Amino acid sequence: MAAETSAVAQLAAAHASGARRVADTVAEALSRARAIAPLNAFAALDEVGAMAAAAVLDARIGAGEEVGPLAGVPVSVKDILDSAGLPTRWGSLLFADAPPAQADIAAVGRLKAAGAVVIGKTTTTEFAHSPLGASPLTGLTLNPFDAALTCGGSSSGAGTSVAMGVTPVTLATDAGCSTRLPAAATGLYGFKPTLSLVPHERVPDGFGSFIHLGLLARSVADIAATLPVVAGPMPADPWSLKGPSGPAPAGSPLAGRKVLLWLTTGNRMVAGEVEAATRHAAGILEALGASVRVEAYGFAHPDPIWSTLQQSNWALRFAATPDAALARLSPTLRAGIAAARGFSALDLLRAQVARTQLFRQVQGVLGEVDFILTPCVSAPLVGADFDLAGPLAVDGKETGPLRSEWTSALSLFDLTGHPAIAMPVGLAQNGGPLGVQLVARWGADHHLLAAAAAFGATLPAPVCPGAFGAL
């Protein structure tokens, strides 16, 4: 099987050789970003800064300098991550007038040092709290497959912009589903590395964090080309101080491997067409040499644990915020803050202990198998205007709250920290993309990407209507 070609690597090589000007590529990316403005994927574009950076790179390349492995590759950054010169507004009216950031977070700085050009900030739900695609500041971000369906969240603009071909790769976050869900919703690959493989020095609680920095791209090869740039230890993130376990094994990444399929992960139901798509994905893994067994998930529902921990984080963030300002937040974010204000210290500690127990249980499973396969979500994409506080219906049957019943398979592995990737598997009857999730052992990120690449070579991603081709 031929190795997948990386658009990121091809662009960088063309720029580094002088065969193509960085300025031309960046100008085209900015043009594409303007062209998809009706989809509302960008919170801000940095046209002046991006073109200035491109001019500097072209001059350095012309002088014979090596400018890095991402030479001139246009990228975007989620609007909860600092990129110097651009405001970080968090999708919130409270930060509508935020000044430009004075410094990059580590991952953004690494992208720039490797020669990438940040063209802008992609939209996010308010403070990344929602799995749907709207915020009070930027409004609704649209799914390019069907505007009536959600594009997923919280990295809403990340999925839409990459699906449309504005940039080949984008930097996002994932604390509950926020990289993998938008990827699944827009026919992309969304990679959540092992916790802190890509360091995040801005999290308030470095030891209790489950916030991952992730990458979305049209191909696994583009993720694999970008990951080494942003990965690696930094002193301010304690979990980053251990690296990945090593490169992917030689030969077929799935031959002889054991895969465990969980169709549910604490949620009550899975839709028939989601189950069929996931079983089809299992069949592809088997055709690639893996053995797959199906078992019932037997551990705690991750959502009560996740909600206690995450809502406590929100409450801490806004502990000193006046009531008048809180009133400007999304109702669902305010509700989470209010819930957390009723938690006791014992509630929080119980959730931390339960998280540890989940980690140990998943560790036990991955001591016996190489990968875990799940659906990304339990039902096809909900509507773009779906009420986050409302109940989810699966095959016409009401099952419970959207967050706990739709995305439990995604939040589970944020809590445990294991590397996971969303992989496209086709379209649902409603026209929206469907995705499955493949999970590996801590540190086995390279092995996971190799397996996902083999899967993707067998099952091409759905084509996004109206999308641009490669830059």
Side-chain angles (χ1 to χ4, degrees):
M1 184 181 298
E4 185 181 24
T5 301
S6 165
V8 164
Q10 286 184 323
L11 266 180
H15 295 148
S17 70
R20 180 170 179 167
R21 294 175 66 243
V22 175
D24 292 338
T25 300
V26 172
E28 174 61 22
L30 289 165
S31 175
R32 293 180 178 193
R34 292 191 297 270
I36 70 161
L39 297 178
N40 196 27
F42 283 88
L45 285 178
D46 187 14
E47 302 203 33
V48 173
M51 291 306 299
V56 169
L57 287 167
D58 279 328
R60 291 178 60 194
I61 292 167
E65 290 186 41
E66 295 283 341
V67 298
L70 299 184
V73 175
V75 299
S76 59
V77 176
K78 183 178 180 179
D79 194 26
I80 68 170
L81 302 173
D82 285 351
S83 180
L86 284 169
T88 303
R89 298 193 177 107
W90 294 84
S92 179
L93 296 173
L94 301 188
F95 283 78
D97 299 318
Q102 297 300 303
D104 300 317
I105 65 162
V108 173
R110 290 173 179 182
L111 287 170
K112 292 177 180 178
V117 178
V118 175
I119 68 163
K121 306 290 285 290
T122 53
T123 56
T124 175
T125 64
E126 188 170 31
F127 290 96
H129 88 284
S130 170
L132 304 176
S135 83
L137 181 65
T138 57
L140 181 65
T141 299
L142 302 182
N143 190 321
F145 279 83
D146 187 338
L149 300 173
T150 185
C151 63
S154 62
S155 308
S156 311
T160 292
S161 63
V162 173
M164 288 299 293
V166 176
T167 64
V169 68
T170 186
L171 183 67
T173 65
D174 198 317
C177 62
S178 295
T179 291
R180 291 159 294 156
L181 177 56
T186 55
L188 301 174
Y189 293 88
F191 180 56
K192 179 195 78 66
T194 298
L195 181 62
S196 288
L197 176 63
V198 182
H200 192 6
E201 75 275 26
R202 301 291 176 83
V203 294
D205 177 6
F207 288 96
S209 175
F210 47 89
I211 302 173
H212 302 64
L213 296 189
L215 299 167
L216 293 90
R218 284 174 165 178
S219 74
V220 178
D222 287 337
I223 292 173
T226 308
L227 181 63
V229 168
V230 292
M234 71 166 302
D237 184 341
W239 297 120
S240 76
L241 300 179
K242 71 177 294 295
S245 59
S252 170
L254 285 158
R257 303 298 170 178
K258 297 178 181 179
V259 179
L260 178 64
L261 170 57
W262 284 336
L263 287 168
T264 60
T265 46
N267 53 303
R268 292 174 55 195
M269 293 179 62
V270 61
E273 61 180 317
V274 171
E275 177 176 346
T278 307
R279 289 185 181 275
H280 178 62
I284 291 173
L285 297 178
E286 288 179 322
L288 291 167
S291 61
V292 180
R293 76 172 191 263
V294 184
E295 287 186 2
Y297 174 80
F299 308 135
H301 195 310
D303 185 67
I305 304 167
W306 183 92
S307 293
T308 299
L309 296 174
Q310 188 67 299
Q311 289 170 352
S312 296
N313 288 335
W314 299 338
L316 176 63
R317 177 186 292 275
F318 295 103
T321 303
D323 288 344
L326 288 176
R328 303 181 72 194
L329 296 175
S330 304
T332 45
L333 180 54
R334 292 202 310 270
I337 294 167
R341 288 177 173 175
F343 296 158
S344 68
L346 285 177
D347 292 329
L348 182 58
L349 187 56
R350 287 189 187 103
Q352 292 169 338
V353 170
R355 178 189 177 189
T356 300
Q357 179 69 4
L358 267 185
F359 166 77
R360 290 171 177 165
Q361 289 166 330
V362 173
Q363 283 286 89
V365 170
L366 285 168
E368 298 178 355
V369 302
D370 300 283
F371 300 104
I372 298 170
L373 177 69
T374 76
C376 281
V377 289
S378 64
L381 296 180
V382 298
D385 58 353
F386 193 92
D387 180 3
L388 177 57
L392 175 71
V394 176
D395 289 344
K397 298 178 181 178
E398 189 173 302
T399 61
L402 177 77
R403 192 185 292 280
S404 64
E405 291 298 319
W406 199 41
T407 61
S408 63
L410 303 180
S411 58
L412 169 61
F413 296 107
D414 278 310
L415 292 174
T416 68
H418 292 86
I421 189 167
M423 308 185 299
V425 290
L427 300 177
Q429 293 177 10
N430 67 3
L434 289 171
V436 295
Q437 173 180 234
L438 196 64
V439 182
R441 297 166 181 153
W442 261 64
D445 299 74
H446 299 307
H447 191 179
L448 178 61
L449 290 176
F455 179 91
T458 304
L459 183 64
V463 177
C464 182
F468 298 101
L471 280 167

